[in-house]
């Protein structure tokens, strides 16, 4: 169903407001909502002793190493005080999915997929890195892709 | 699956060399080889031991390690007479079977991978339609 998009620019507006008008909050509308929610999601991460604010949409994946959580953009890596499961909860309803016990990945930043031995799936990310979706979490990814 | 493969291979090779039975000791050897194969597969392809390595290199290292393990078994348990010609036939059979299996898997992975990537593109496109540009 075509969507009518209207943008109103006015200096009097204090903040950006998005209003979704629909006949019924069906699956399509809920997906739009999920994308909007992901768009406004921001993460704070530390790098070289400084704190940065990064938009979730720029994050390729996050992983937990030695009880520390890091998230990766195309060119940088940041450490976050959040645990991986907390990060996953914050980024739920978006394009992030659990790839393994220690990794969550952004499906929007996956360049290509390739099945591998033992029911696993290899992901090639936009920065050229390769991640492995474990057998345990491959079905969730397939469900997300409607496979 | 590896154990079944060993037994089937033994039966096929045995047909040419006139073997009439599979000894009890050989069953245990095949089981050990299968466990080694499964262990190497876990090390190189599970992503839990070797986390970031390209598929080509994983396959290459697996190939070398498994070949060395099989050779050690072949020599240790005298699977064939210790002659150059026998060893060459053993190596040739290993290469042929390995690369046939690799080829079959590669075709399957490529066909399935194409379908996965089509769905990935569809997913990205459907989400892009809802993206707002700043």
């Amino acid at each position: 169903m075509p969507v009518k998009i209207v943008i109103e620019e006015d200096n009097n507006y204090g903040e950006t407001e998005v209003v979704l008008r629909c006949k019924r909050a069906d699956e399509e509308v809920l997906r739009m909502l999920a994308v909007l929610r992901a768009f406004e999601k921001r993460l704070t991460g530390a790098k070289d002793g400084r704190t940065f604010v990064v938009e979730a949409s720029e994050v390729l994946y996050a992983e937990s190493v030695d009880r520390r959580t890091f998230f990766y953009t195309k060119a940088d890596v940041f450490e976050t005080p959040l645990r991986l499961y907390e990060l996953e909860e914050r980024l739920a309803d978006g394009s992030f999915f659990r790839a393994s016990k220690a990794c969550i990945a952004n499906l929007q930043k996956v360049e290509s997929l390739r099945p591998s031995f033992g029911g696993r799936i290899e992901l090639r990310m936009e920065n050229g890195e390769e991640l492995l979706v474990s057998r345990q979490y491959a079905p969730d990814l397939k469900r997300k892709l409607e496979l | 699956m590896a154990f079944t493969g060993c037994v089937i291979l033994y039966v096929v090779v045995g047909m040419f060399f006139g073997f009439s039975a599979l000894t009890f000791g050989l069953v245990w050897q095949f089981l050990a080889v299968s466990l080694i194969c499964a262990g190497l597969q876990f090390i190189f392809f599970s992503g839990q031991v070797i986390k970031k390595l390209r598929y080509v290199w994983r396959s290459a290292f697996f190939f070398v390690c498994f070949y060395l393990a099989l050779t050690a078994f072949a020599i240790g348990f005298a699977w064939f007479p210790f002659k150059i010609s026998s060893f060459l036939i053993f190596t040739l059979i290993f290469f042929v079977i390995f690369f046939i299996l690799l080829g079959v898997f590669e075709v399957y992975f490529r066909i399935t991978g194409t379908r996965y990537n089509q769905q990935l593109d569809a997913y990205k496109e459907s989400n892009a339609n809802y993206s707002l540009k700043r």
Side-chain angles (χ1 to χ4, degrees), chain A residues 22-64:
Chain A
C22 56
K23 211 168 191 175
R24 190 170 57 89
D26 59 11
E27 199 182 305
E28 196 180 2
V29 172
L30 290 174
R31 283 184 73 184
M32 284 188 220
L33 198 59
V35 171
L36 281 168
R37 282 196 178 131
F39 198 75
E40 66 169 356
K41 281 174 185 162
R42 291 188 177 88
L43 304 175
T44 50
K47 182 190 163 193
D48 299 330
R50 295 170 61 193
T51 303
F52 295 83
V53 176
V54 179
E55 287 195 19
S57 57
E58 290 177 28
V59 175
L60 272 63
Y61 68 97
E63 68 176 355
S64 173

Side-chain angles (χ1 to χ4, degrees), chain A residues 15 89 99 106 109:
Chain A
E15 57 179 8
E89 281 168 8
N106 185 352
K109 296 297 184 183

Side-chain angles (χ1 to χ4, degrees), chain B residues 33-70:
Chain B
V33 164
S34 304
L35 288 172
I36 288 170
C37 181
L40 287 174
Q41 202 191 22
F42 177 79
I43 289 169
F44 290 109
F45 295 105
S46 71
Q48 304 218 27
V49 178
I50 295 172
K51 294 185 188 295
K52 290 177 184 178
L53 188 65
R54 285 182 177 252
Y55 174 74
V56 172
W57 288 110
R58 290 176 193 267
S59 301
F61 285 125
F62 175 84
F63 171 81
V64 170
C65 290
F66 192 46
Y67 177 69
L68 290 174
L70 271 186

Side-chain angles (χ1 to χ4, degrees), chain A residues 1 3 10 22 51 59 83 88-89 111 114-115 124 127:
Chain A
M1 187 183 247
V3 175
D10 192 331
C22 56
T51 303
V59 175
R83 303 286 291 274
E88 189 183 12
E89 281 168 8
E111 194 179 88
R114 184 192 152 91
R124 188 176 175 84
N127 63 348

Side-chain angles (χ1 to χ4, degrees), chain A residues 57-124:
Chain A
S57 57
E58 290 177 28
V59 175
L60 272 63
Y61 68 97
E63 68 176 355
S64 173
V65 180
D66 294 334
R67 292 177 168 270
R68 294 161 70 179
T69 311
F70 301 88
F71 61 85
Y72 299 77
T73 59
K74 206 162 184 176
D76 283 313
V77 54
F78 302 90
E79 183 175 358
T80 171
L82 297 173
R83 303 286 291 274
L84 193 66
Y85 77 90
E86 290 171 325
L87 209 56
E88 189 183 12
E89 281 168 8
R90 262 184 120 190
L91 298 170
D93 302 329
S95 53
F96 282 83
F97 66 97
R98 176 71 75 140
S100 67
K101 280 185 185 164
C103 177
I104 56 171
N106 185 352
L107 199 49
Q108 287 288 348
K109 296 297 184 183
V110 173
E111 194 179 88
S112 64
L113 300 161
R114 184 192 152 91
S116 182
F117 292 111
R120 299 173 194 99
I121 300 174
E122 280 180 10
L123 308 176
R124 188 176 175 84

